[in-house]
Amino acid sequence: MFQYSVSRRKISRLHLDVLNPRVGRGVTTEGEVAEKLLQIYGDKILNLARDIAKNGLSPLDQWGVVEEGNRIIVLEGNRRLLACRLLLDPSKAPSESWKSRFERIKLEIPTEEIESVTCVKAERRSEMQHWINLRHQGGSKGAGTSPWTPEMKYLDMVNQSGKKEAWAEFWYWLDEQYQDDTELRQTILGARNNQFTLMERLFDWY
């Protein structure tokens, strides 16, 4: 069984993982990790920082860490760590451009709210790997995190706002109209599951 401990840890004591698959090979320092993450995911990390500034850190996401060489390495949560680190101290950004962008966001956030985070600490990196795989390698036949389909995203939007889109509702109209035709309903359901947003493009043609 997976042996772990849970505790609050200061952002300043956490370190980026040079073996993070997101940054590829040949990365040996945290500075290089930060530079690579911003190079590849910069706008997304900036949007993540804005969301943290507005809403705080997600209570649904704990950080997976391991201690290596007397350092607490973040195995799960590197983008979050970088976003928080640059919100707390934009001067750590690898360029003036990124520094100024994070400085603007920093004005909006009470930084004490992100000075520490809840971490799940494993004894060894290998012990955390199973759980990381479940988060990042698809649904794993139901065992892992299952991303929402476009239809699920639409239904959630309707649940939250009550706003409906004509192109999306047309799918459900088709289902109602042909409810007595089992074969055609199955075809409609298959198309709805696999090509939900195609209907939006069809509507744009008219």
Side-chain angles (χ1 to χ4, degrees), residues 171-181 184-185 188:
W171 282 115
Y172 306 108
W173 180 86
L174 284 173
D175 189 51
E176 291 175 2
Q177 294 302 305
Y178 297 100
Q179 56 184 319
D180 295 329
D181 189 329
L184 183 54
R185 284 192 72 193
I188 293 170

Side-chain angles (χ1 to χ4, degrees), residues 150-194:
E151 181 180 7
M152 293 174 188
K153 293 177 183 178
Y154 170 72
L155 293 174
D156 182 63
M157 181 197 76
V158 172
N159 290 339
Q160 296 297 322
S161 67
K163 180 183 177 182
K164 296 181 179 180
E165 299 286 350
W167 65 266
E169 293 300 315
F170 190 64
W171 282 115
Y172 306 108
W173 180 86
L174 284 173
D175 189 51
E176 291 175 2
Q177 294 302 305
Y178 297 100
Q179 56 184 319
D180 295 329
D181 189 329
T182 303
E183 184 175 349
L184 183 54
R185 284 192 72 193
Q186 288 300 313
T187 301
I188 293 170
L189 178 60
R192 195 174 84 201
N193 289 340
N194 298 310

Side-chain angles (χ1 to χ4, degrees), residues 65-125:
V65 304
V66 68
E67 185 171 354
E68 294 178 342
N70 296 320
R71 305 173 94 196
I72 302 299
I73 308 296
V74 173
L75 305 183
E76 175 58 35
N78 274 250
R79 293 186 310 128
R80 276 173 283 159
L81 173 57
L82 183 57
C84 290
R85 181 181 285 182
L86 296 182
L87 280 174
L88 289 167
D89 186 358
S91 68
K92 293 183 181 293
S95 71
E96 285 299 318
S97 173
W98 285 113
K99 176 184 174 181
S100 63
R101 295 169 82 178
F102 278 93
E103 281 177 339
R104 287 196 293 271
I105 300 174
K106 179 178 170 63
L107 297 175
E108 307 168 14
I109 185 169
T111 53
E112 65 273 10
E113 292 187 7
I114 60 166
E115 288 184 348
S116 64
V117 293
T118 302
C119 295
V120 176
K121 179 177 174 290
E123 291 300 315
R124 288 175 290 277
R125 180 181 289 260

Side-chain angles (χ1 to χ4, degrees), residues 48-57 80 83-84 87 109 114:
L48 173 59
R50 286 196 185 99
D51 189 74
I52 293 171
K54 180 180 179 181
N55 301 302
L57 286 159
R80 276 173 283 159
C84 290
L87 280 174
I109 185 169
I114 60 166

